[in-house]
Each structure stands twice: as C-alpha cells, then as structure tokens.
Amino acid sequence: MAISPLTDQATETAQRLQGVWQLLRWEIAYSDGRPSSFPYGEDAIGLIQYTHDGGMAGTISRGGRPRLSGESVRSVPEAERLAAFESYFSYAGSYETRIHQGQAQVVHQVDLALNPNFVGSQQVRNVDFAADGSLTLSASDPLPGALGVMRHHRLVWRRKKAT
C-alpha cells in the first residue's frame, strides 16, 4: 500500500517539529482592525517541546516576572498568586500532525494544563516553517464578548540551541 503525499507531508512536519523551540513573539491581530495585542507583553518568553514519541509541552510567560515575596507560593498573599497565574500559561500532552485543506497542522491533545478548562481539549495550530528556520504556529478563534470579532494568534519560535 502506497503512502499518500499528504501523509508524507504530515510525517515530515512531525519530524521537523521535534525538539525544543524558544518563543520569539506572540501577537494577536483582530478582524475588526483594532491594534494587535501581545498577551504576555512584547518581551514574553516561552518554550515548546515536541518529542519523537508524540509528547508535547508548552509554556509561555510574561518577561521579567517579579519573584514572590515568600519561598512558597502557598504562603504569599493571594494577589501575588493571582499575578503569578495571570502571567503564565502552560499545557502538556500528546500531539499529532495532519494536513487540513492543504495546510500542515499540529493537534495538541491537552492532558495537563495550568488552566483546568484546557484539560481534555484539542488545540489545533497551523504550522509554517520559514526559510530562516523559524516556526510559526497560528490559530484563529472568536474574541470572547465581541460578537463576530475574530482574533488571529501568531506565535513565532526559533529552535533552541543546545548548551
């Protein structure tokens, strides 16, 4: 049985994703023309990792987060815990690649997440590799509370160099 070109492309995408990537930029554009936003600031930092056996983990935070006032997150004031939660995003699980309407995609099956509402969800990202070696993961979704307005997430990553 011959493997289809679409399957070959999905397999190649999976192979190219494998490794650890550092976040360069997360920008959200809006369909109503409002200015773009940066959910964790223009200096956000993050890592995403894809393993050869189908595991993935991603984490993003605001750059320059202040240290907590105590040694344990459980012993600091509630406002500090809330600020730490609101400045950090993370989930992990498994992934698979596919080709959808000619576009390479990665589907993250979320098993564990800082936001409990993500657990059990599938997060679908369009995959584009640039000539400079960077990786762009993108997706669109409705802007909560703004009827008919779509937001377009674009996360640009570069392969992390081994140290």
Side-chain angles (χ1 to χ4, degrees):
M1 173 192 222
I3 297 175
S4 75
L6 292 181
T7 302
D8 287 346
Q9 187 179 355
T11 300
E12 179 186 344
T13 299
Q15 291 170 343
R16 291 180 73 185
L17 282 174
Q18 290 174 17
V20 179
W21 300 82
Q22 289 181 299
L23 183 69
L24 297 176
R25 181 179 191 91
W26 178 4
E27 183 173 3
I28 302 175
Y30 299 89
S31 64
D32 64 357
R34 71 182 70 186
S36 293
S37 66
F38 303 88
Y40 292 98
E42 291 188 52
D43 63 343
I45 57 175
L47 294 173
I48 194 164
Q49 179 176 16
Y50 294 99
T51 65
H52 72 280
D53 59 353
M56 67 77 53
T59 186
I60 299 172
S61 79
R62 182 171 297 284
R65 292 172 34 172
R67 294 185 58 83
L68 298 174
S69 63
E71 290 302 312
S72 169
V73 70
R74 289 176 175 82
S75 67
V76 300
E78 186 174 325
E80 282 186 57
R81 290 193 307 270
L82 178 60
F85 177 88
E86 288 182 338
S87 63
Y88 193 82
F89 177 80
S90 178
Y91 67 79
S94 59
Y95 75 97
E96 62 181 32
T97 54
R98 69 182 186 193
I99 305 303
H100 180 72
Q101 298 179 346
Q103 171 67 57
Q105 294 182 326
V106 61
V107 180
H108 300 153
Q109 178 63 47
V110 181
D111 296 326
L112 182 68
L114 179 64
N115 178 345
N117 292 355
F118 263 56
V119 174
S121 72
Q122 287 189 338
Q123 301 297 313
V124 179
R125 306 292 183 255
N126 293 325
V127 176
D128 292 294
F129 294 99
D132 67 0
S134 64
L135 163 67
T136 298
L137 300 178
S138 61
S140 296
D141 66 347
L143 178 63
L147 189 60
V149 177
M150 295 296 290
R151 56 185 179 181
H152 308 287
H153 302 261
R154 186 170 176 268
L155 292 87
V156 181
W157 306 84
R158 74 168 168 243
R159 192 170 294 279
K160 184 171 172 36
K161 305 260 191 279
T163 55

